């Protein structure tokens, strides 16, 4: 537990350091994309570290509730519900990517944008077929 806590404190500190670095370097001639990347990564790491620290604190205060949550997460019905939700969200995302491809064509965006969206669509469908075949063999 102490090791996990130390890792999350380090992540939060590194993230805060990256965010502060982005703010300090903003006054110098660094590109906006580099400053934005530093700020984004820093804020993400800091937030993740703090959220995990709060979770560990909650586990210490309410161990019986955390045990109950862990049992519920492994429950067969809840696992099936999460898998179905992920599958439906994947299908929805697939059609959003295709709509973005059509939109990029309509807005005369560079060709690579449209091709990237179409390649993502094709990759998702091929990967889905691969998983179907795999699960048919396994189950």
């Amino acid at each position: 537990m102490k090791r996990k806590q130390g890792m999350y404190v380090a992540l939060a500190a590194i993230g805060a350091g990256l965010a502060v670095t982005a703010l300090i370097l903003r006054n110098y001639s660094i590109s906006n994309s580099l400053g934005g990347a530093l700020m984004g990564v820093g804020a993400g790491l800091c937030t993740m570290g703090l959220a995990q620290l709060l979770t560990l604190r909650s586990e210490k205060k309410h161990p019986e509730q955390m045990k109950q949550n862990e049992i519920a997460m492994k429950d067969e019905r809840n696992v099936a519900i999460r898998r179905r939700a992920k599958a439906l969200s994947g299908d929805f995302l697939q059609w959003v990517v295709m709509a973005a491809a059509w939109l990029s064509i309509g807005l005369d965006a560079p060709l690579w944008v449209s091709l990237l969206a179409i390649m993502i669509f094709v990759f998702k469908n091929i990967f889905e077929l691969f998983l179907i075949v795999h699960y048919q063999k396994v189950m």
Side-chain angles (χ1 to χ4, degrees):
M1 188 68 87
K2 279 284 192 194
R3 187 173 182 186
K4 279 185 179 181
Q5 188 173 1
M7 182 180 70
Y8 295 137
V9 168
L11 276 177
I14 290 169
L18 287 174
V20 168
T21 302
L23 290 174
I24 291 171
L25 293 178
R26 178 181 63 175
N27 297 330
Y28 299 100
S29 60
I30 66 166
S31 67
N32 284 341
S33 59
L34 177 61
L38 282 174
M39 181 59 78
V41 170
L45 285 176
C46 186
T47 304
M48 185 179 81
L50 292 175
Q52 292 299 325
L53 285 171
L54 288 174
T55 302
L56 289 176
R57 183 174 177 218
S58 175
E59 283 179 5
K60 284 181 184 177
K61 282 189 168 186
H62 309 287
E64 66 284 345
Q65 181 64 36
M66 296 309 288
K67 181 79 169 172
Q68 188 66 26
N69 289 346
E70 185 178 335
I71 292 170
M73 287 294 291
K74 293 178 182 176
D75 179 45
E76 191 174 313
R77 179 176 177 268
N78 289 334
V79 170
I81 290 171
R82 276 195 309 279
R83 287 181 179 167
R84 188 170 184 180
K86 285 181 183 182
L88 287 174
S89 66
D91 286 343
F92 177 75
L93 184 60
Q94 165 185 316
W95 295 110
V96 168
V97 167
M98 282 311 294
W102 279 104
L103 184 65
S104 69
I105 291 169
L107 294 176
D108 231 9
L111 181 61
W112 69 268
V113 174
S114 303
L115 290 177
L116 179 65
I118 292 169
M119 286 175 20
I120 290 170
F121 177 83
V122 170
F123 174 76
K124 187 261 182 200
N125 283 304
I126 290 172
F127 189 61
E128 187 177 317
L129 287 173
F130 170 77
L131 288 175
I132 289 170
V133 169
H134 172 73
Y135 287 137
Q136 282 177 344
K137 288 179 183 176
V138 171
M139 295 180 163

